[in-house]
Structures are given as C-alpha cells and as structure tokens.
C-alpha cells in the first residue's frame, strides 16, 4: 500500500543542521494496521506528515500503490489526499463554526461528491452520533469530537488512514472506546491504518509496531 524509502528530514537553525529523521525505510501492506511508537521528539509526527504529503523529506521518497507522492505538484497532492487519504488528529481539528454533520460533509463537498449530506449522516450514524448531527464541537465531549473526526476521515472511503495520537486527548476508557471504533471501521472497510502513539497497550492491538528513537527506526515487530 505505502512504502517509505530512505527518508531523512534535516532542518537548520542558529546552532546548525538538525536531523529530525534519519534514513527511515519500511513498507506497509494493504489492510495492515501499524503503530509507530516513540518518545516525544523522536520524529513520529514528522514522519506521519511526510507520509501524508503535508511535509517534504530532505532525502528519500514515499510511494502509495507504487506512485511517488513527491513527483506530484502541491495541487496534485491535495487532490490525492482528498480521494485516497484519511487523517485523524489528537486535537480533533474540527471546524468550530460547523456542526457535526457539516464537518463530515466538508471533505465530500470539496471533492464534489453527490449526496454529501446523506453519506455524512450515514457515517455519523455508524459512529453512534445520529442524535448529535446539528451539535457544534464546543458542546460535544472529547470522545464525541473524536467520533466526528473518525466519521470525517472514513466518509471519503480512504485507502489509507493516518492517525496522530488519536486517543492522546482522551481519558483511558474513552480512548479505548475510540480505538475499538477505529479498528472496527478499519476492518469493515479494508483500510490500511498507520497510527502514531506513545501508548504500548494501544500499539499492541495493531498487526505490527515500528519504534523510532532520535529520528531512527530502531525496530520493526
């Protein structure tokens, strides 16, 4: 599904050049669930951003189904993300001026998908929020907001779902419930899932775990 080939990320500051990622190399099969583990500052979120085409590597390449995403221009990558990729964030990233239904409709409307409202309603029903369609983020609990975010990610039927600490802002029980939901949706839709977490318990629920340390991939299990 996706291959990361010898990716490095270097940045410069007043003290000189800093290596964020160093020669990261791995691939993920279709339908596989993979957790990326590592301490804060290990490069996990930077790697996820590069895999999404939101950041560019200093060296190396990322390919989805054999197509290099960095051979695309910015507009082409944006179109690719809109059709192929779902992204779930730790802090939900919902549009505060849109209600739950409108938040889930948004990627469909941007893609010009017909019947966006009906598709969004169905997806929100699947995540247990049929009764909260018209509620705005500020009146939703953290767990409910993450359910809206999951609905928004899955409604475009992505081939690849990337999740950055998807349970990091939630209490333990709510986080476990969200993980249950995400894995069940992922299995039902045959999506490939890659998530960043620092939680060993969550990582163990995935098919495979990659561990980063100081920008290097130190183990694959």
């Amino acid at each position: 599904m996706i291959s990361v080939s010898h990716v490095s990320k270097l940045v410069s500051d007043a003290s000189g050049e800093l290596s964020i990622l160093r020669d990261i190399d791995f691939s993920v099969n279709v339908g596989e669930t993979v957790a990326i583990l590592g301490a804060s500052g290990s490069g996990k979120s930077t790697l996820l951003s590069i895999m999404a085409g939101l950041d560019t590597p200093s060296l190396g390449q990322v390919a989805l189904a054999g197509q290099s995403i960095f051979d695309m221009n910015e507009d082409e990558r944006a179109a690719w993300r809109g059709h192929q990729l779902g992204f779930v964030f730790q802090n939900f990233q919902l549009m505060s001026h849109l209600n739950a239904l409108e938040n889930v409709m948004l990627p469909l409307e941007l893609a010009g998908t017909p019947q966006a409202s009906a598709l969004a309603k169905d997806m929100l029903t699947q995540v247990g929020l049929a009764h909260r369609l018209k509620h705005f983020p500020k009146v939703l609990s953290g767990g409910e907001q993450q359910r809206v975010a999951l609905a928004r990610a899955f409604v475009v039927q992505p081939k690849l779902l990337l999740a950055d600490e998807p349970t990091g802002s939630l209490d333990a029980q709510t986080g476990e419930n969200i993980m249950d939901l995400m894995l069940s949706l992922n299995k039902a839709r045959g999506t490939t899932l890659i998530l960043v977490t620092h939680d060993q318990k969550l990582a163990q629920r995935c098919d495979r775990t990659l561990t980063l340390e100081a920008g290097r991939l130190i183990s694959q299990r």
Side-chain angles (χ1 to χ4, degrees):
M1 171 54 70
I2 189 167
S3 62
V4 176
S5 302
H6 302 289
V7 163
S8 294
K9 180 68 176 182
L10 308 171
V11 297
S12 298
D13 61 17
S15 61
E17 195 169 67
L18 178 65
S19 179
I20 306 297
L21 295 172
R22 307 179 190 186
D23 195 31
I24 304 295
D25 193 82
F26 66 92
S27 60
V28 178
N29 296 322
V30 173
E32 194 174 13
T33 58
V34 174
I36 301 176
L37 276 169
S40 179
S42 61
K44 304 186 305 296
S45 293
T46 299
L47 177 58
L48 210 65
S49 292
I50 289 174
M51 294 171 68
L54 297 169
D55 196 358
T56 56
S58 304
L59 297 167
Q61 193 57 261
V62 175
L64 182 72
Q67 181 180 14
S68 170
I69 63 174
F70 296 111
D71 286 345
M72 307 176 190
N73 62 36
E74 193 59 49
D75 289 340
E76 289 170 337
R77 280 202 298 274
W80 164 75
R81 281 192 294 269
H83 290 96
Q84 307 281 354
L85 181 70
F87 210 115
V88 179
F89 301 88
Q90 177 178 347
N91 57 352
F92 322 130
Q93 296 286 356
L94 300 179
M95 305 294 286
S96 61
H97 63 287
L98 301 179
N99 63 34
L101 179 61
E102 292 165 340
N103 265 286
V104 178
M105 287 174 60
L106 185 59
L108 296 172
E109 292 177 325
L110 291 173
T113 304
Q115 298 183 314
S117 179
L119 291 170
K121 285 179 182 177
D122 179 65
M123 195 68 241
L124 282 165
T125 299
Q126 290 185 52
V127 301
L129 290 178
H131 61 302
R132 304 287 265 172
L133 301 180
K134 299 299 184 180
H135 290 73
F136 288 86
K138 66 181 180 181
V139 297
L140 298 175
S141 69
E144 287 173 333
Q145 289 185 65
Q146 195 61 295
R147 286 173 180 266
V148 175
L150 285 176
R152 181 182 59 188
F154 276 105
V155 78
V156 298
Q157 300 185 21
K159 292 181 179 179
L160 175 65
L161 180 69
L162 302 179
D164 191 0
E165 297 280 9
T167 63
S169 294
L170 307 172
D171 64 78
Q173 185 58 59
T174 303
E176 189 169 332
N177 293 341
I178 289 295
M179 193 67 184
D180 289 343
L181 177 61
M182 184 164 59
L183 289 173
S184 65
L185 287 171
N186 196 69
K187 183 176 181 180
R189 291 171 174 252
T191 308
T192 303
L193 170 65
I194 302 173
L195 68 90
V196 158
T197 183
H198 63 275
D199 189 326
Q200 290 273 359
K201 184 179 177 182
L202 292 182
Q204 288 170 2
R205 300 185 64 182
C206 295
D207 298 325
R208 188 155 53 102
T209 299
L210 312 179
T211 303
L212 291 183
E213 184 178 291
R216 292 186 183 278
L217 181 58
I218 62 169
S219 72
Q220 301 188 49
R221 297 179 182 176

